[in-house]
Amino acid sequence: FYCVLVNATPTLLVDVCGYPLSIFFIVVNEFCERFSYYGMRAVLVLYFRYFLKWDDDLATSIYHTFIALCYLTPILGAIVADSWLGKFKTIVYLSIVYTVGQVVMAVSAIHDITDTDRDGTPDNMTFHVAMSMVGLFLIALGTGGIKPCVAAFGGDQFEDHQEKQRSTFFSIFYLSINAGSLLSTVITPILRGQECGIHSQQKCYPLAFGVPAALMVVALIVFIMGSGMYNKTAPKGNIMLEVCKCIGFAIKNRFRHRSKTFPKREHWMDWAHEKYDKLLVAQVKMVLKVLFLYIPLPMFWTLFDQQGSRWTLQATTMDGNFVRTVNPILILALVPIMDSLVYPLIKKCHLNFTPLKRMTVGMLIAALAFVAAALLQLQIDVSIYSIYTHTPPHTHTPPHTHTYSIYTHTPPHTHIHIVYIHIHTHIHPPHTHTYMLLTCCFALSYRRFVNGLGSPLNVTLGVGDIAPLSVSNYSLVPQGKAEFTIMNSGGASCLYSKELGFGSAFTLVIPSTFNIGIPDCWQAIQVVEDIKPNTIHMGWQIPQYFLMTAGEVVFSVTGLEFSYSQAPSNMKSVLQAGWLFTVAVGNIIVLIVAEAAQLPDQWAEYILFASLLAVVCIVFAVMSYFYTYTDPAEIEAQFSQPEHEPEEKKRDRVEMERKDSDCSKSSKGSDKKKRDSVVEQHNQDVKQSKM
């Protein structure tokens, strides 16, 4: 029911029990937008790996490049909103860009667009790659651009007397983010698991990307519907740009007066006093003090964001249908537990658990999460064996397997090495061993055909044509029920289907007596299980997810609280942009380390990242030890008397001009001219201060 109704022109401000009705549209918009973003991201690395056919390293690199771009564009969005369009128009325009990007991603995943031969495989992969890259760029521009605007725009809807309601709004806002993330990470993998297509049925990436696109359309419509109720503040200039100018002037002025003739100043930012108010300089000092502590923080995000890349790929080698819903569920559970139980208990133990100490502990917990991931990876590696087209020196094959050769006469003395099973058949010429193998490994399996028949064959699911007495390259087979159609040059075909377990390896042998034309031809195919299905369940990832989420709650939530408390009143957005920038840098570090390390084993890469975070954690602990907490309001109060500022600034400028004149080698004017120049500069300062 309506408790208060205030009608203003031209904006209709409606309150519901003390809360602006307009925040309903903002919260719903944020829920749909986060559903759209996290839903698309939940299957993105799988789309790279199994639709675009990229390897793990390339899929990981592009994934983290996209995440880094999503956290670099907030700086652009903040500048546009503060100095040009305002928050409302920035959100609307960039949401349109965002929606177009999601639609482009959904279209890029439709394999039938370029599948001209209708074999289930796109014939023009360049088209799909180009479309997906354009879509991801538009999404990064949209989601990053609106990120610093939506929460601040929601805060603008409250009046000064609604501080309590504003605080509650931010809690609801954060809840909507996690609710959208939770639902999307449950739903979109299920949508991807469906089969769809016009000519052939494949994993339904268009549906997995299409639903987030639809939710983004809903988010845009809902936000625009509340337009008449919003309190839209006009752009007031970009404080971030002003801070950058102040820092730049201080550096330039210090370099210009680097001679020993000029006395040293307590802080290098004090060199900006000749042009900027001391209040602004003091605020910039506080911001720089916090930004200096941000330097080690990207390493945490380097580990944290690999949940969506390396950990997702790790899950594809395991048994079960465990999806990435643990993180948002644990966040919703751990945040109140930490605030209501853990932190009060630590306080009762008379331990000074300061925010910076909490962040240090959070980084250590995240490092332990990667140690747990490394231990799990070791167990996975034990149950998975690599498949080789031959047995190289010092290479171990799985138990009960052997290396054999096919000897042919075309060309003479050619032999093809086959790993695993040796099956005798009888075809001409005599004493020739003929094989046709399909080897399937991992959750998405490898398979290979060896055509020992005297005629060419064609096999579906990406194998293609196989010449007589030749071996096809290895290719992937999705886990689950796989159907292969084997066709000869005469058009006769044989359909064979088999349920492939997680991590299983099978050899399908077609003897030379195989009759491809009869109805039950598939019964002649002999199946040998080389490697049993993987028995390591995805549930074993829960410990590492728990540790990472606990580290996130202790590190991220505390970091935001610390940044807000240490930031000047008019520079909260500057530190928010700096915090988001650390996330972008963290994802860039993933790219650098993964490419530079080139470690052959995934568990070793996990240990490397854990070790790097542990070292950075020690550095951060040392920096935190020397940090002195400040009260921005108290410092700003010291400069609350602006009438003294112009006189002090004028005195500093007079002194600087006098010393510049004394140090100038080309000064030929009289003392009177120097004094006149200084007086003229004073008059200009007075005019500027009055303006």
Side-chain angles (χ1 to χ4, degrees):
F1 57 93
Y2 292 99
C3 299
V4 180
L5 178 62
V6 180
N7 191 357
T9 305
T11 302
L12 180 64
L13 301 179
V14 181
D15 283 1
V16 179
C17 296
Y19 292 87
L21 182 61
S22 57
I23 67 171
F24 167 79
F25 299 95
I26 297 174
V27 170
V28 174
N29 167 269
E30 183 65 12
F31 169 82
C32 295
E33 188 274 327
R34 289 291 88 185
F35 185 104
S36 177
Y37 174 73
Y38 283 108
M40 179 274 303
R41 214 176 85 168
V43 297
L44 183 60
V45 73
L46 300 178
Y47 170 74
F48 291 157
R49 185 67 182 86
Y50 304 119
F51 186 90
L52 300 182
K53 306 300 183 183
W54 291 346
D55 59 29
D56 287 357
D57 290 335
L58 181 58
T60 300
S61 298
I62 300 300
Y63 176 85
H64 287 285
T65 301
F66 167 69
I67 302 301
L69 191 59
C70 288
Y71 285 93
L72 286 174
T73 50
I75 298 176
L76 176 63
I79 293 175
V80 171
D82 291 344
S83 59
W84 182 27
L85 295 178
K87 297 183 184 69
F88 175 77
K89 290 184 178 180
T90 300
I91 295 172
V92 172
Y93 294 158
L94 289 182
S95 292
I96 295 175
V97 174
Y98 192 169
T99 304
V100 172
Q102 290 282 32
V103 172
V104 171
M105 277 297 298
V107 173
S108 72
I110 303 176
H111 66 277
D112 288 306
I113 293 178
T114 61
D115 186 14
T116 56
D117 56 4
R118 303 186 179 184
D119 64 347
T121 303
D123 298 323
N124 186 3
M125 193 60 73
T126 303
F127 170 82
H128 296 277
V129 172
M131 287 284 289
S132 60
M133 293 302 101
V134 171
L136 289 178
F137 176 78
L138 295 177
I139 292 172
L141 182 62
T143 187
I146 68 176
K147 195 181 294 291
C149 302
V150 178
F153 186 70
D156 292 342
Q157 307 309 308
F158 295 87
E159 302 294 335
D160 293 338
H161 65 279
Q162 296 177 309
E163 289 294 332
K164 183 178 179 181
Q165 290 86 345
R166 182 187 287 113
S167 177
T168 304
F169 160 74
F170 283 113
S171 298
I172 298 173
F173 188 82
Y174 186 74
L175 180 63
S176 69
I177 292 174
N178 286 279
S181 171
L182 173 60
L183 290 178
S184 64
T185 51
V186 172
I187 294 175
T188 52
I190 296 175
L191 298 177
R192 170 193 167 272
Q194 307 302 311
E195 292 188 351
C196 60
I198 300 174
H199 305 305
S200 61
Q201 299 295 306
Q202 303 290 336
K203 294 296 183 183
C204 203
Y205 288 102
L207 184 61
F209 290 145
V211 171
L215 263 292
M216 195 57 223
V217 173
V218 174
L220 178 60
I221 294 175
V222 169
F223 186 76
I224 295 177
M225 286 174 58
S227 176
M229 302 181 185
Y230 295 140
N231 177 23
K232 306 170 186 175
T233 57
K236 298 180 181 179
N238 194 348
I239 187 63
M240 187 183 303
L241 187 61
E242 192 71 13
V243 169
C244 294
K245 288 181 178 180
C246 183
I247 295 174
F249 178 80
I251 296 174
K252 181 180 178 181
N253 200 30
R254 177 67 184 90
F255 181 78
R256 185 189 305 149
H257 303 97
R258 60 187 181 278
S259 173
K260 295 182 179 180
T261 308
F262 302 96
K264 293 183 178 181
R265 302 194 178 184
E266 183 178 354
H267 192 279
W268 63 272
M269 275 302 304
D270 292 336
W271 290 94
H273 284 157
E274 284 75 35
K275 185 176 181 180
Y276 294 92
D277 293 338
K278 287 192 174 182
L279 174 60
L280 177 62
V281 174
Q283 291 172 330
V284 172
K285 287 180 183 179
M286 288 185 280
V287 169
L288 292 176
K289 189 178 179 182
V290 178
L291 289 178
F292 177 72
L293 280 178
Y294 281 176
I295 293 176
L297 303 189
M299 186 53 67
F300 173 86
W301 302 113
T302 298
L303 277 68
F304 178 80
D305 279 329
Q306 291 191 57
Q307 294 178 91
S309 57
R310 292 299 195 192
W311 286 13
T312 299
L313 293 173
Q314 183 188 59
T316 63
T317 65
M318 304 174 70
D319 188 16
N321 196 22
F322 182 76
V323 292
R324 271 190 58 216
T325 58
V326 176
N327 181 259
I329 292 175
L330 289 176
I331 287 177
L332 297 177
L334 288 179
V335 168
I337 290 176
M338 289 291 183
D339 291 338
S340 304
L341 182 62
V342 177
Y343 293 153
L345 183 60
I346 293 176
K347 187 176 181 180
K348 286 185 177 181
C349 295
H350 303 288
L351 296 176
N352 187 20
F353 200 37
T354 61
L356 292 179
K357 290 181 180 178
R358 294 182 190 178
M359 295 173 67
T360 304
V361 172
M363 296 170 78
L364 285 175
I365 296 175
L368 291 176
F370 262 62
V371 173
L375 294 176
L376 178 60
Q377 188 64 45
L378 285 171
Q379 296 301 315
I380 294 173
D381 292 343
V382 169
S383 61
I384 294 179
Y385 298 95
S386 298
I387 300 173
Y388 302 94
T389 57
H390 64 280
T391 306
H394 312 297
T395 300
H396 301 286
T397 57
H400 312 298
T401 63
H402 306 280
T403 301
Y404 299 93
S405 299
I406 299 175
Y407 294 94
T408 68
H409 296 282
T410 320
H413 312 300
T414 299
H415 37 302
I416 306 170
H417 295 285
I418 306 299
V419 180
Y420 298 132
I421 305 301
H422 182 198
I423 304 295
H424 290 280
T425 60
H426 302 283
I427 64 171
H428 300 288
H431 312 299
T432 299
H433 305 298
T434 304
Y435 300 79
M436 191 170 191
L437 299 93
L438 170 64
T439 307
C440 311
C441 304
F442 312 110
L444 277 89
S445 310
Y446 284 103
R447 52 24 186 340
R448 177 180 64 173
F449 279 90
V450 179
N451 184 6
L453 301 178
S455 60
L457 294 175
N458 179 275
V459 182
T460 57
L461 282 183
V463 177
D465 294 328
I466 308 174
L469 301 175
S470 63
V471 185
S472 68
N473 294 325
Y474 281 109
S475 54
L476 292 171
V477 178
Q479 175 269 336
K481 186 177 181 180
E483 292 186 347
F484 307 95
T485 302
I486 305 170
M487 295 178 291
N488 60 16
S489 57
S493 63
C494 180
L495 180 64
Y496 180 83
S497 62
K498 177 156 184 69
E499 191 72 24
L500 303 177
F502 283 83
S504 60
F506 295 93
T507 297
L508 274 63
V509 182
I510 299 181
S512 58
T513 56
F514 176 69
N515 190 341
I516 198 171
I518 63 176
D520 297 332
C521 57
W522 59 271
Q523 294 183 355
I525 299 177
Q526 303 176 35
V527 181
V528 180
E529 186 179 59
D530 301 334
I531 302 176
K532 294 182 178 181
N534 197 339
T535 57
I536 300 179
H537 196 271
M538 291 181 185
W540 285 105
Q541 281 193 323
I542 292 179
Q544 65 199 55
Y545 273 101
F546 175 82
L547 290 171
M548 182 58 74
T549 306
E552 177 193 3
V553 171
V554 178
F555 175 86
S556 181
V557 177
T558 304
L560 289 172
E561 176 187 351
F562 167 79
S563 301
Y564 189 87
S565 65
Q566 297 296 293
S569 58
N570 62 336
M571 296 188 184
K572 309 290 187 183
S573 60
V574 176
L575 282 184
Q576 177 68 12
W579 179 266
L580 296 174
F581 184 74
T582 64
V583 182
V585 175
N587 283 271
I588 295 173
I589 292 175
V590 177
L591 306 179
I592 296 174
V593 174
E595 292 297 329
Q598 294 294 325
L599 297 175
D601 298 315
Q602 186 58 54
W603 68 265
E605 185 176 294
Y606 289 149
I607 292 296
L608 174 62
F609 279 113
S611 302
L612 290 174
L613 183 58
V615 173
V616 168
C617 184
I618 295 173
V619 174
F620 181 74
V622 174
M623 295 170 62
S624 302
Y625 179 79
F626 293 99
Y627 182 84
T628 303
Y629 291 86
T630 58
D631 185 357
E634 182 178 340
I635 295 177
E636 290 172 344
Q638 299 175 5
F639 301 93
S640 59
Q641 300 178 357
E643 64 271 11
H644 298 299
E645 181 63 24
E647 187 66 27
E648 294 177 359
K649 184 197 296 185
K650 182 169 65 176
R651 188 166 57 250
D652 291 339
R653 181 64 67 89
V654 171
E655 184 68 16
M656 189 63 65
E657 290 289 343
R658 185 185 65 78
K659 291 181 179 180
D660 283 342
S661 300
D662 293 341
C663 295
S664 177
K665 296 181 180 179
S666 60
S667 59
K668 298 181 180 179
S670 64
D671 292 340
K672 182 177 182 302
K673 290 182 179 180
K674 294 179 181 178
R675 288 194 299 270
D676 292 342
S677 176
V678 173
V679 170
E680 179 64 23
Q681 185 63 48
H682 291 337
N683 293 335
Q684 294 179 4
D685 287 341
V686 171
K687 292 179 181 179
Q688 292 177 0
S689 63
K690 290 181 179 179
M691 293 175 64

